[in-house]
Amino acid sequence: QVELVESGGGLVQSGGSLRLSCAAEESKFTSVVKGWYRQAPGKERELVAIIESGGRTNYGDFVEGRFTISRDKSKNTVYLEMKDLRPEDTAVYYCTADEYRGFGGAFRGAVWGQGTQVTVSS
């Protein structure tokens, strides 16, 4: 019911940077964009970064200080600044959001974007 619009993926050289964005489109339900997971071919989907409503953040162990997640509440948009990218960062990055019936309403479940490809060349 909620469409998540992802942008910012692409091809960069090792050591380069990208900024991912995820925004929730209009919906009859309320959604809160939380962050990103990623999945490389043949691997499990793993946490990249999430940001809670209060601003608390969590990063995957592989991030090692290279990424920064932030939120613009007025736009219901979450940004992920990625620096010092490595070939092993190559994956499809999926935005995720929590959906509710309305403000203060019941939790309906998580929704996912279609994914944006990040490719880092050596």
Side-chain angles (χ1 to χ4, degrees):
Q1 301 284 8
V2 177
E3 182 177 0
L4 301 179
V5 180
E6 301 163 313
S7 63
L11 173 64
V12 297
Q13 294 183 345
S14 180
S17 301
L18 287 173
R19 185 170 80 157
L20 305 183
S21 300
C22 180
E25 292 291 317
E26 182 180 348
S27 172
K28 65 179 180 179
F29 302 110
T30 299
S31 64
V32 179
V33 180
K34 299 202 69 174
W36 284 268
Y37 288 69
R38 74 182 188 185
Q39 188 167 24
K43 296 185 178 180
E44 300 286 337
R45 185 173 296 189
E46 63 180 343
L47 169 71
V48 179
I50 57 172
I51 181 167
E52 305 293 341
S53 297
R56 187 173 186 176
T57 59
N58 293 98
Y59 297 92
D61 290 341
F62 66 88
V63 170
E64 298 177 340
R66 299 176 299 135
F67 302 170
T68 302
I69 189 169
S70 61
R71 181 193 303 279
D72 184 339
K73 291 185 177 181
S74 66
K75 299 179 180 179
N76 198 17
T77 300
V78 172
Y79 304 94
L80 181 67
E81 297 276 357
M82 303 190 295
K83 298 180 178 179
D84 193 23
L85 286 162
R86 307 162 180 169
E88 52 264 41
D89 294 319
T90 297
V92 178
Y93 286 67
Y94 296 93
C95 178
T96 187
D98 289 338
E99 188 179 72
Y100 302 85
R101 289 192 174 276
F103 183 78
F107 176 68
R108 290 177 53 85
V111 295
W112 296 86
Q114 291 185 328
T116 183
Q117 177 70 47
V118 171
T119 302
V120 184
S121 62
S122 60

